[in-house]
Amino acid sequence: MTRLNVILGITLLAAISSVAQTVPSSVEQRIRQIYTEKYPDNYSMQKALIQDQIDSFKYLQQWTSEQGVPSDVFNSLRKTYADKYPDNYSMQKALVKDQCDSYRYLQSLTSAPGIPQNVFSNIKTKYQQKYPDNYSMQKALILDQFNSYRDLNK
């Protein structure tokens, strides 16, 4: 009985894995159409971009959470970029990764060398309020403000 359970378990895992790695034909056809039209005579470019999109699609299908990012934030980022770039899975993957990295960075940012705590808090709060769902923009603008403050106060 134990051997049968092991075989059934392995079979189930293999089936789940193959389903998760399957790209629907409509998705693959759309990807091929986009890059065939965009690069009609450049077959190596078509091949590379189609494969990248398919790999990214598969990655996104498996990517259900991100360490250090609350699920509501992660899911909101995923939806935002899926809506904005519905046929560009590489772009979705890259932008969500960047936003997650920026989110984690901002969560760890509690002070900055050469920046008084009240100035630090005001800058961070300003850009959190101005760009509440764009952590990459917050990070870039906050760091720019910190650098400008330091330059002005040398």
Side-chain angles (χ1 to χ4, degrees), residues 32-42 45-46 49:
R32 287 181 179 281
Q33 175 190 8
I34 290 168
Y35 294 104
T36 301
E37 289 174 3
K38 193 167 187 170
Y39 301 100
D41 297 324
N42 191 336
M45 181 68 80
Q46 288 178 34
L49 293 173

Side-chain angles (χ1 to χ4, degrees), residues 96-138:
V96 172
K97 278 182 172 264
D98 182 57
Q99 290 288 341
C100 289
D101 290 345
S102 295
Y103 179 90
R104 283 189 294 270
Y105 178 84
L106 291 167
Q107 294 306 302
S108 71
L109 187 64
T110 57
S111 64
I115 309 293
Q117 195 59 40
N118 66 322
V119 174
F120 171 89
S121 296
N122 289 341
I123 290 171
K124 194 169 178 187
T125 299
K126 176 182 178 179
Y127 291 107
Q128 285 173 334
Q129 290 173 348
K130 192 166 185 171
Y131 301 99
D133 299 319
N134 191 336
Y135 307 102
S136 301
M137 181 68 78
Q138 287 179 35

Side-chain angles (χ1 to χ4, degrees), residues 1 5 14-15 37 41 46 50 53 67 90 95 99 110-111 121 140 142-143:
M1 190 91 166
N5 286 341
E37 289 174 3
D41 297 324
Q46 288 178 34
I50 289 168
Q53 289 294 333
Q67 187 172 357
S90 299
L95 292 173
Q99 290 288 341
T110 57
S111 64
S121 296
I142 288 168
L143 293 177

Side-chain angles (χ1 to χ4, degrees), residues 51-61 89-90 93:
Q51 191 58 55
D52 181 53
Q53 289 294 333
I54 289 171
D55 291 346
S56 294
F57 179 87
K58 290 176 181 179
Y59 183 92
L60 290 168
Q61 295 305 108
Y89 306 103
S90 299
K93 178 182 168 187

